[in-house]
Amino acid sequence: RSGKLMPSQVAKNIIATLEDCDKSTPPLRAIVQWDPEQIMLMAEASTARYRNKCTLSYLDGIPVCLKEEFKVVPYHHRVGTVYLGTEPETEDATVAKKLREAGAIIIGVSNMHELGTGTTGCNPNRYHKIPRNPYKPNHFTGGSSSGSAAAVAAGLCPVAIGTDGGGSVRIPASFCGVVGLKGTFGRISSHGSLPLSYSTVSVGPICTSVADAAIVYSILAEPDPLYPYGLKQPKATLSDMCAPDLKGLKLGVDWSFFKACDAEVLSICEKAVEHLQSLGASVVEVSLPEMEEVRVAHVICILSEMRDFLHPDFNKHFQEMNLETRANLALASQFTALDYITANRQRTRTMGFLRQIFSTVNCILTPAVASTAPRIYESDLVTGSSNLSLTVRSMRFMQLGNFTGIPGLVVPIGYSTAGLPISFQVMAKWWDEAVLLRIGLKLEQFRHQTKKPSIYYDILA
């Protein structure tokens, strides 16, 4: 607003940066499709609006990227594959449209785990390659919104949009040390994204800060006539988000569930709970029942739905898929209709338990991921990576939110001795994202320093 810096100058910096990070060793591979002309067109339009003092929203002139799972004109809707999106898109997904209407500069589409089928972000195919963790380039970003988290952590843009069916926003945000919000199921329209799993996937922003996540959420969260699941939602608010303390809030912790993580992660997460208590919140011990059943039932639901949707692809493009994708879809084909029905009965039970729990507490606290970002091995670059025990471990604290549709926020709270980010998760009842953002702001105060990633670009310089 002061006119010291204009969106067109920032856009030029971003274009130079995108050229540079593709040439670096190893390449960052955060943004996989971008077009300098498109970037400059949006930036110049925004610059004119700033000059004329008629900006469209807080996001006017702000650089953003969207996961390749979304349709974004004029890019290819490849969804992490080599066989989809043979022609450029001619129609935007709802979130892309809303970001354009808000004046944001879409800098491109970001890398992702092929078809969203994993939690590492490892995608060795020719269009994508493996995105690098800006904190330690020989470690994974997490997935499946891998490039989105890497782009934000590396400074390419302060906002990226991802999807989350089993932690796909929150895992990469945690591994890359940035903020990730999974909205309530249906809160943000997923119209125009590939409908891989229609009962578990929520859309959400990955951002540099909780305040930025709140701004993006407030612009994207509303009913979309093209997306039936979110039509009946209550109005999104940011009520009490900036309250000076957390007095009156009851935070639920199931300690046996909470403690199933690496010692380094546990130690800092326990301190974060104490920090929230020191601000006036009370910590209440709760019991999250049947979490092993939840884990299995979530896997059955998400994989069955993906296998159903990708049935033609599996038959026709099997040879063009990564080995890990083939293995996961082959595993999914072993589930029966009976398994799927039983899993959904478990969902109804678990939502009932959560209703009772949320009648006594405002939130449920957990670590975000049980361990820090895993290492990339040479073989991963060629054949990809499949490590089921790692997948299970990284999804441990994520699945409850996807299975029942409750919202979750992850906030970085510190670093391991190896210098990798560690994050904390807060979950709330359906449609109560406002309380997550309120607590998230206070968690940011707990992290007394932010270490600069080893790959970092200052696009305002």
Side-chain angles (χ1 to χ4, degrees):
R1 283 182 185 159
S2 68
K4 279 184 198 155
L5 191 64
M6 280 292 158
S8 46
Q9 181 54 55
V10 177
K12 283 176 189 154
N13 295 350
I14 289 169
I15 291 164
T17 299
L18 288 169
E19 285 166 352
D20 181 67
C21 62
D22 272 351
K23 292 186 195 129
S24 64
T25 313
L28 181 63
R29 297 308 292 155
I31 308 291
V32 287
Q33 299 181 57
W34 55 281
D35 178 338
E37 273 177 49
Q38 290 287 325
I39 296 171
M40 286 313 299
L41 273 175
M42 287 180 268
E44 279 157 6
S46 177
T47 298
R49 290 192 295 270
Y50 273 98
R51 291 217 165 99
N52 298 327
K53 300 201 168 22
C54 61
T55 49
L56 298 170
S57 78
Y58 284 123
L59 285 182
D60 207 326
I62 301 296
V64 303
C65 68
L66 290 96
K67 184 179 186 176
E68 201 180 58
E69 200 169 318
F70 293 99
K71 294 180 176 180
V72 183
V73 179
Y75 302 110
H76 295 265
H77 189 215
R78 292 192 178 118
V79 199
T81 71
V82 294
Y83 65 85
L84 286 172
T86 50
E87 295 297 319
E89 273 313 304
T90 54
E91 203 177 323
D92 277 329
T94 297
V95 283
K97 190 163 161 276
K98 287 180 86 80
L99 288 166
R100 281 191 212 275
E101 287 166 357
I105 300 170
I106 297 172
I107 66 166
V109 292
S110 47
N111 206 342
M112 65 177 284
H113 205 106
E114 186 178 60
L115 295 168
T117 53
T119 61
T120 56
C122 183
N123 189 353
N125 75 41
R126 65 178 183 272
Y127 285 141
H128 297 87
K129 300 287 179 243
I130 294 171
R132 303 299 180 137
N133 190 315
Y135 276 91
K136 283 208 175 247
N138 59 343
H139 286 248
F140 284 120
T141 55
S144 63
S145 309
S146 50
S148 297
V152 173
L156 298 178
C157 51
V159 175
I161 307 298
T163 58
D164 190 315
S168 286
V169 158
R170 293 162 294 155
I171 294 167
S174 304
F175 282 167
C176 293
V178 288
V179 172
L181 173 66
K182 178 198 98 69
T184 303
F185 177 77
R187 179 60 107 177
I188 297 172
S189 172
S190 69
H191 173 76
S193 71
L194 201 71
L196 292 164
S197 163
Y198 43 83
S199 79
T200 65
V201 174
S202 296
V203 178
I206 294 174
C207 299
T208 34
S209 70
V210 173
D212 287 354
I215 290 168
V216 179
Y217 165 75
S218 67
I219 286 170
L220 297 181
E222 64 174 6
D224 171 13
L226 299 170
Y227 181 65
Y229 298 127
L231 288 177
K232 295 271 194 259
Q233 61 176 280
K235 191 163 173 48
T237 71
L238 300 177
S239 60
D240 293 335
M241 180 180 156
C242 299
D245 54 39
L246 299 177
K247 282 185 182 134
L249 288 186
K250 291 183 176 155
L251 313 177
V253 180
D254 178 333
W255 285 109
S256 62
F257 183 60
F258 189 102
K259 287 181 175 174
C261 57
D262 288 359
E264 259 188 316
V265 173
L266 178 60
S267 151
I268 194 159
C269 286
E270 284 177 328
K271 290 191 183 91
V273 174
E274 288 166 17
H275 168 74
L276 296 176
Q277 263 180 303
S278 75
L279 291 164
S282 52
V283 172
V284 180
E285 280 203 44
V286 295
S287 164
L288 295 170
E290 301 177 5
M291 290 311 287
E292 182 56 21
E293 287 81 351
V294 165
R295 183 181 76 75
V296 175
H298 168 263
V299 169
I300 290 169
C301 285
I302 190 169
L303 281 181
S304 298
E305 289 168 8
M306 289 174 103
R307 182 70 177 84
D308 165 53
F309 178 72
L310 294 169
H311 187 67
D313 301 48
F314 192 69
N315 292 339
K316 199 171 159 195
H317 298 285
F318 184 79
Q319 295 302 333
E320 296 164 90
M321 291 174 172
N322 291 333
L323 295 172
E324 183 194 12
T325 308
R326 295 185 212 177
N328 285 335
L329 292 175
L331 168 70
S333 64
Q334 302 304 303
F335 298 135
T336 64
L338 188 61
D339 293 330
Y340 185 71
I341 290 164
T342 309
N344 275 292
R345 286 187 175 139
Q346 178 65 44
R347 190 188 322 239
T348 307
R349 271 178 76 82
T350 304
M351 288 170 84
F353 294 140
L354 282 180
R355 268 192 199 96
Q356 286 175 308
I357 291 168
F358 285 126
S359 69
T360 60
V361 297
N362 301 90
C363 294
I364 295 167
L365 308 179
T366 69
V369 188
S371 49
T372 53
R375 213 197 139 118
I376 298 170
Y377 292 97
E378 281 301 306
S379 61
D380 300 338
L381 305 174
V382 185
T383 54
S385 161
S386 180
N387 180 337
L388 279 179
S389 64
L390 175 75
T391 305
V392 167
R393 209 165 146 66
S394 55
M395 286 167 62
R396 175 180 170 84
F397 299 115
M398 301 286 143
Q399 291 171 285
L400 181 64
N402 295 113
F403 190 50
T404 63
I406 59 172
L409 177 74
V410 297
V411 179
I413 54 168
Y415 305 90
S416 68
T417 45
L420 285 161
I422 292 171
S423 295
F424 191 85
Q425 176 173 241
V426 193
M427 292 178 281
K429 68 177 182 291
W430 301 271
W431 316 114
D432 197 6
E433 288 87 349
V435 76
L436 298 183
L437 296 162
R438 177 179 170 186
I439 294 168
L441 281 177
K442 298 295 183 261
L443 278 169
E444 282 181 324
Q445 297 168 2
F446 169 73
R447 184 188 53 177
H448 52 89
Q449 63 165 154
T450 304
K451 292 182 181 165
K452 191 180 266 192
S454 59
I455 302 175
Y456 186 76
Y457 296 95
D458 184 352
I459 56 163
L460 300 183

